[in-house]
């Protein structure tokens, strides 16, 4: 399919056949007849599909062979920029790699239908040259006074300026007191200034920045910026963006959690004078539309976004940066399962531009590519301005347990006391939302469980709710046990951050406390406000989930306490140790980032676990080497290939029967192993029963070809779904 888009400007003449890709999970291209006007590759076109009209993209020439009686004609071409060639190649590549239908991938690249509508001419209004004699109300007088003073404005804006409703302005236009005039659309994003004075880089930072600048005009390359937390990776990659700006090209920065990026945006503004274009799920429809168009026009020079920003239609992408490249937030599990870091590298290759990966704890995948010589590595071994890395200590919960009913060991409590007494800030980290992960009846042992999932209901005491973290199902906490009828018999088991906050409020009543989790801060604005309060030292103690780990810089924060360092270690996840090490390093990296040195305490029942030892010794590299060896021995990624198939349906029996059919058709190949079917750990999710296959292949065998054949050979009964995940990260 790639060859079909080789010539971007290729036209398809009137009345011949075009292959159109529709943003629907259908197989392949559909042939349509071209009308009286030619179309070109990448054009957005409206075509009939059954009784509907659908917007699709011209992807190539038609293949023919369709019954002429059934062949439909393209209704019309949309008057907007075509989908660029690089974007089309990217869609094909992602579809091929993830084994998703190309249309399902195209849908991600067409996420803003309104951006394809023609630009409306805007009409402004101003005071008429001669105002006719009309009845003047107070509201009308205010509008005319405002119009006399201000430049021409959109009617809605003029109404707002005058403090009146839109009908007043409309009435004045009709009466001829205001006249209308065409207006240019508002300017798109301001262009960041590469020469705006930024911070003075240290010699080590300068060296890395120079290397990045040098690679800017040399086409595709991948560079890992491997720097400890607080070493200034952001300031350094800003220099690569400056170089792209100077060359007039676009840059894309991928962040794992864009909605929480207020501090990042502030720093960008400090370096470049203006804000970049942001791309995330919280944007208004109008903002999404304007951003999409500005990206397509090439006028949005720097885009900072979540993983979906990869699918925007860049006119001239000259640089991609993946910050915190190890972060599992880059992996999308639903729908088209893809890893944004890996796809960013592919996008860079297709567009012929450099890709920069930044992390303090690079993934094993990236390290392997460095060792193989495919990626370059630049190192920043020290924190900026002489700040030292925090000392990491392990609290052995077997020796220093918290008192009954509490969760903080005396060692950690004392450290918090000392920190607060010194007028500094402390942060307690627990990667679990809510009050308690499990609620059970003291009389009969009944556990409150989600009716739709293999999961317990998590108590959220603030909200007065019991919530399933997998499907969102909620109930009010029951007053009597649904099993034995006992009243007030429920006991909360284990802590979530609400419970830690309760303990902290009890122990340190004077401390100003804040909680931060995805469900306690609603939206980017609230998050930005909270982050500002912590940075300004309006908060003494911060209790949070993994969102507090992400990149923040709090100068007065000197103590980080990890309430349950073992939390991520079990659960059969291939990357459990690696991920725990990364997450805890990142949390630890929040401590002592400015003048005052920081310390970190990890509460654990496994002080001898390799992860705890590596963290305590600050010995990332030998930990990663051991991990690498274990994966290599097991033939697991990144040394072997892995894919997961989750088969699900509303009835367990039917799912099992279908799995048995699948196994009969399964490929049998030297170097390829099929494990399963087995019930997935979440064997029931949203009312669907789930069985899982793992397909493991040697690198030289490859799994795409046999997997594709297998999937094509099975006939999926209605109600049953197969979810394909190449390079799975989640194993639930
Ligand atoms: P990292 O991303 O490696 O954790 P950051 O880029 O966040 O590090 O830098 C840590 C802090 O040090 C930030 O507040 C940043 O503004 C500051 N900083 C880094 N380099 C410099 C520099 N050369 N001059 C001034 N401040 C710097
Ligand atoms: Zn549920």
């Amino acid at each position: 399919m790639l060859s079909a888009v080789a010539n971007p400007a290729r036209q398809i003449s009137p009345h011949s056949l075009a292959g159109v890709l529709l943003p629907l999970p259908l197989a392949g291209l559909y042939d349509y007849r071209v009308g009286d006007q030619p179309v070109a590759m990448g054009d957005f076109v409206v075509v009939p599909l059954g009784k509907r009209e659908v917007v699709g993209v011209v992807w190539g020439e038609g293949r023919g062979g369709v019954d002429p009686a059934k062949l439909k004609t393209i209704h019309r071409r949309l008057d907007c920029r075509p989908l660029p060639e690089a974007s089309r190649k990217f869609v094909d590549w992602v579809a091929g790699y993830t084994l998703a239908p190309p249309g399902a991938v195209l849908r991600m690249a067409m996420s803003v239908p309104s951006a394809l509508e023609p630009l409306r001419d805007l009409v402004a209004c101003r005071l008429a040259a001669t105002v006719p004699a009309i009845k003047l109300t107070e509201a009308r007088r205010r509008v005319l006074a405002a119009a006399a003073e201000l430049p021409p404005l959109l009617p809605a804006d003029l109404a707002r300026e005058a403090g009146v409703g839109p009908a007043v302005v409309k009435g004045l236009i009709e009466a001829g007191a205001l006249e209308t005039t065409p207006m240019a659309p508002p300017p798109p994003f301001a262009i960041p200034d590469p020469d705006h004075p930024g911070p003075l880089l240290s010699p080590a930072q300068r060296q890395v920045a120079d290397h990045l600048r040098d690679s800017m005009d040399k086409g595709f390359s991948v560079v890992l910026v491997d720097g400890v937390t607080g070493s200034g990776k952001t300031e350094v990659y800003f220099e690569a963006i400056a170089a792209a700006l100077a060359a007039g090209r676009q840059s894309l920065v991928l962040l794992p959690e864009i909605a929480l990026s207020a501090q990042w945006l502030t720093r960008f503004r400090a370096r470049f004078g203006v804000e970049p274009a942001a791309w995330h799920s919280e944007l208004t429809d109008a903002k999404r539309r304007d951003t999409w168009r500005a990206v397509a026009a090439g006028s949005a020079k720097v885009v900072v976004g979540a993983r979906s920003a990869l699918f925007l239609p860049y006119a001239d992408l000259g640089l991609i940066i993946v910050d915190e490249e190890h972060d599992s937030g880059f992996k999308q599990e639903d729908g088209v399962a893809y890893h944004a870091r890996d796809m960013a590298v592919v996008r860079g290759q297709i567009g012929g531009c450099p890709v920069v990966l930044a992390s303090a704890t690079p993934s094993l995948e990236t390290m392997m590519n460095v060792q193989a010589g495919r990626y370059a590595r630049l190192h920043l071994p020290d924190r900026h301005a002489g700040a030292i890395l925090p000392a990491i200590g392990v609290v052995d919960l077997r020796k220093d347990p918290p008192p009954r009913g509490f969760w903080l060991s005396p060692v950690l409590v004392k450290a918090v006391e000392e920190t607060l007494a010194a007028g500094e800030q402390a942060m307690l980290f627990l990667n679990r939302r809510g009050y308690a992960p499990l609620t059970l009846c003291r009389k009969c042992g009944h556990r409150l469980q989600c009716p739709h999932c293999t999961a317990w209901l998590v108590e959220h005491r603030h909200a007065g709710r019991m919530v399933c973290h997998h499907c969102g199902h909620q109930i009010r906490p029951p007053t009597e046990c649904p099993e034995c009828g006992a009243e007030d018999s429920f006991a909360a088991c284990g802590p979530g951050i609400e419970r830690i906050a309760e303990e902290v409020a009890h122990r340190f009543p004077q401390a100003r406390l804040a909680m931060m989790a995805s469900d306690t801060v609603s939206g980017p604005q609230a998050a930005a406000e909270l982050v500002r309060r912590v940075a300004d030292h309006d908060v003494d103690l911060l209790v949070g989930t993994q969102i507090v780990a992400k990149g923040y810089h709090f100068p007065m924060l000197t103590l980080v306490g990890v309430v349950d360092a073992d939390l991520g270690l079990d659960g059969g996840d291939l990357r459990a140790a690696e991920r725990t090490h990364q997450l805890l390093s990142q949390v630890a990296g929040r401590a002592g980032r400015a003048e005052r040195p920081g310390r970190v305490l990890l509460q654990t029942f496994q002080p001898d676990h390799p992860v705890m030892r590596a963290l305590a010794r600050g010995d990332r590299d030998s930990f990663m080497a051991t991990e690498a060896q274990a994966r290599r021995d097991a033939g697991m990624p990144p040394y072997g290939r892995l894919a997961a198939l989750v088969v699900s349906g509303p009835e367990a029996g039917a799912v099992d029967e279908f799995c048995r059919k699948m196994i009969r058709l399964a490929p049998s190949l030297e170097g390829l192993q099929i494990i399963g079917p087995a019930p997935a750990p979440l064997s029931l999710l949203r009312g669907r029963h789930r069985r899982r296959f793992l397909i493991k292949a040697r690198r030289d065998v490859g799994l795409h070809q046999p997997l594709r054949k297998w999937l094509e050979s099975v006939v999926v009964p209605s109600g049953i779904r197969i979810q394909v995940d190449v390079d799975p990260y989640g194993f639930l």
Side-chain angles (χ1 to χ4, degrees):
M1 226 187 255
L2 271 187
S3 60
V5 289
N7 179 353
R10 204 164 76 219
Q11 293 236 329
I12 302 177
S13 346
H15 312 297
S16 57
L17 294 183
V20 176
L21 186 61
L22 303 175
L24 302 166
L26 305 166
L29 305 183
Y30 279 54
D31 274 7
Y32 284 92
R33 198 195 312 277
V34 179
D36 296 336
Q37 298 295 319
V39 292
M41 303 292 195
D43 278 353
F44 289 96
V45 289
V46 179
V47 297
L49 180 74
K51 292 201 172 77
R52 295 191 289 158
E53 278 197 325
V54 181
V55 178
V57 178
V58 177
W59 218 254
E61 276 165 17
R63 253 178 301 174
V66 182
D67 175 0
K70 291 200 177 137
L71 197 63
K72 302 252 178 68
T73 302
I74 291 174
H75 282 176
R76 62 183 193 280
R77 180 187 163 281
L78 292 182
D79 185 18
C80 62
R81 283 168 209 278
L83 190 65
E85 185 192 12
S87 295
R88 282 176 282 140
K89 281 188 174 172
F90 185 54
V91 166
D92 279 337
W93 207 98
V94 173
Y97 190 80
T98 59
L99 298 173
V105 183
L106 177 64
R107 186 152 62 180
M108 302 194 291
M110 285 177 62
S111 58
V112 193
S114 63
L116 307 175
E117 290 162 9
L119 283 171
R120 264 185 304 136
D121 287 329
L122 296 175
V123 178
C125 51
R126 62 181 172 208
L127 206 58
T130 48
V131 177
I134 51 168
K135 198 168 126 240
L136 280 182
T137 59
E138 173 54 25
R140 284 185 157 186
R141 233 189 294 274
R142 281 219 299 276
V143 172
L144 295 180
E149 243 169 58
L150 298 165
L153 289 177
L154 297 177
D157 291 339
L158 180 57
R160 195 170 325 112
E161 287 291 337
V164 304
V168 182
V169 174
K170 198 162 165 255
L172 285 170
I173 294 173
E174 280 160 10
L178 293 173
E179 62 184 24
T180 57
T181 158
M183 190 168 109
F189 299 93
I191 294 184
D193 174 11
D195 300 323
H196 193 269
L200 196 63
L201 298 186
S202 71
Q205 290 174 334
R206 168 67 36 217
Q207 219 179 352
V208 175
D210 285 347
H211 184 114
L212 293 181
R213 276 180 172 276
D214 281 348
S215 60
M216 287 305 294
D217 54 2
K218 300 202 171 57
F220 171 68
S221 64
V222 185
V223 181
L224 167 67
V225 177
D226 176 359
V228 298
T229 52
S231 58
K233 294 184 287 295
T234 317
E235 304 295 344
V236 165
Y237 72 61
F238 278 171
E239 295 313 297
I241 297 177
L245 282 167
R249 307 193 65 189
Q250 291 171 294
S251 303
L252 163 64
V253 183
L254 292 177
L255 299 181
E257 202 87 54
I258 175 72
L260 306 168
S261 60
Q263 280 194 334
W264 190 96
L265 293 172
T266 306
R267 283 168 65 184
F268 187 92
R269 206 180 319 110
R271 173 64 184 83
F272 294 107
V274 298
E275 291 220 347
W279 187 256
H280 54 80
S281 55
E282 315 270 345
L283 295 182
T284 62
D285 287 350
K287 196 78 192 167
R288 288 177 90 70
R289 186 195 58 213
D290 293 348
T291 305
W292 210 89
R293 284 178 173 154
V295 170
S299 60
K301 290 297 181 199
V302 180
V303 177
V304 56
R307 57 195 181 214
S308 59
L310 269 176
F311 292 92
L312 288 171
Y314 298 93
D316 181 24
L317 188 56
L319 170 68
I320 305 175
I321 290 160
V322 185
D323 200 353
E324 312 290 5
E325 67 88 22
H326 62 275
D327 198 292
S328 50
F330 286 123
K331 173 76 185 193
Q332 168 153 312
E333 319 248 53
D334 313 328
V336 179
Y338 70 95
H339 198 298
R341 175 202 56 228
D342 300 342
M343 295 307 117
V345 171
V346 170
R347 182 64 182 80
Q349 197 158 24
I350 289 173
C353 75
V355 179
V356 176
L357 310 177
S359 176
T361 48
S363 62
L364 203 52
E365 280 74 7
T366 294
M367 292 301 245
M368 187 192 76
N369 281 315
V370 168
Q371 270 146 23
R374 283 188 288 269
Y375 298 178
R377 170 176 174 265
L378 304 173
H379 193 207
L380 289 168
D382 300 309
R383 280 192 158 179
H384 172 68
I388 50 172
L389 283 168
I392 300 184
V394 169
V395 179
D396 185 345
L397 288 175
R398 296 167 310 182
K399 290 204 197 106
D400 288 306
R404 245 187 102 78
F406 290 96
W407 312 98
L408 306 181
S409 100
V411 184
L412 183 52
V413 170
K414 182 157 163 280
V416 174
E417 268 162 14
E418 289 164 0
T419 305
L420 296 178
E424 296 167 358
Q425 287 170 307
M427 178 165 106
L428 297 176
F429 170 76
L430 176 63
N431 207 8
R432 197 190 270 138
R433 293 184 285 129
Y435 185 83
L438 167 65
T439 303
L440 58 74
C441 172
R442 268 185 295 243
K443 279 264 161 54
C444 73
H446 178 72
R447 298 162 174 214
L448 289 180
Q449 202 175 349
C450 176
H452 314 296
C453 306
T454 319
W456 297 327
L457 292 176
V458 179
E459 180 180 0
H460 285 248
R461 198 163 277 192
H462 279 277
R465 294 263 152 199
M466 312 283 306
V467 183
C468 171
H469 281 186
H470 295 285
C471 73
H473 176 78
Q474 303 195 358
I475 57 169
R476 211 170 295 155
T479 50
E480 58 185 48
C481 174
E483 190 67 26
C484 71
E487 276 182 40
D488 290 326
S489 66
F490 284 112
C493 302
I497 61 159
E498 289 183 11
R499 201 167 198 179
I500 300 304
E502 183 184 82
E503 175 171 348
V504 161
H506 164 79
R507 288 183 186 279
F508 311 103
Q510 262 79 52
R512 292 164 300 172
L513 177 67
M515 230 181 355
M516 193 166 177
S518 56
D519 61 326
T520 63
V521 287
S522 51
Q525 231 118 50
E529 170 60 16
L530 179 53
V531 166
R532 190 199 53 71
R533 278 174 49 217
V534 181
D536 291 354
H537 205 168
D538 292 342
V539 167
D540 302 309
L541 246 169
L542 181 64
V543 181
T545 62
Q546 54 155 355
I547 70 172
V548 299
K550 313 238 168 193
Y552 293 122
H553 185 71
F554 300 130
M556 290 301 282
L557 181 69
T558 58
L559 173 69
V560 168
V562 176
V563 176
D564 183 355
D566 308 333
L567 192 58
L569 285 177
D570 16 82
D573 181 337
L574 164 72
R575 296 178 181 82
E578 180 191 354
R579 278 218 288 235
T580 302
H581 180 264
Q582 285 160 344
L583 179 60
L584 297 185
S585 302
Q586 213 179 1
V587 184
R590 299 312 107 212
R593 290 168 69 92
E595 294 88 45
R596 304 185 184 216
R599 62 173 159 162
V600 179
L601 290 173
L602 309 174
Q603 297 197 140
T604 174
F605 284 101
Q606 311 173 58
D608 294 325
H609 192 286
V611 169
M612 306 310 150
R613 302 213 341 214
L615 287 165
R617 289 193 198 138
D619 191 1
R620 178 194 89 186
D621 291 342
S622 52
F623 167 76
M624 288 299 276
T626 315
E627 269 294 296
Q629 191 56 48
R631 298 256 195 104
R632 196 182 282 124
D633 293 346
M636 281 296 189
Y639 301 96
R641 320 278 340 255
L642 202 63
L645 296 185
V646 171
V647 181
S648 69
E651 281 165 47
V655 176
D656 286 330
E657 194 192 312
F658 178 62
C659 285
R660 281 194 293 275
K661 269 192 200 138
M662 281 186 73
I663 209 74
R664 268 182 256 130
L665 294 167
S668 139
L669 260 181
E670 163 77 15
L672 182 121
Q673 198 187 344
I674 294 186
I675 306 158
L682 259 172
S683 65
L684 186 67
L685 177 63
R686 297 189 181 90
R688 297 178 71 85
H689 297 270
R690 304 163 79 241
R691 305 288 180 264
R692 205 176 53 153
F693 290 96
L694 275 180
I695 299 91
K696 192 178 148 195
R698 283 203 320 256
R699 271 193 100 78
D700 58 323
V701 175
L703 49 70
H704 282 86
Q705 194 72 344
L707 193 51
R708 188 174 291 122
K709 265 213 195 124
W710 186 20
L711 291 169
E712 280 166 6
S713 72
V714 294
V715 183
V716 185
S718 79
I720 289 199
R721 218 165 39 218
I722 307 181
Q723 237 172 309
V724 185
D725 189 351
V726 176
D727 304 334
Y729 275 64
F731 291 85
L732 291 178

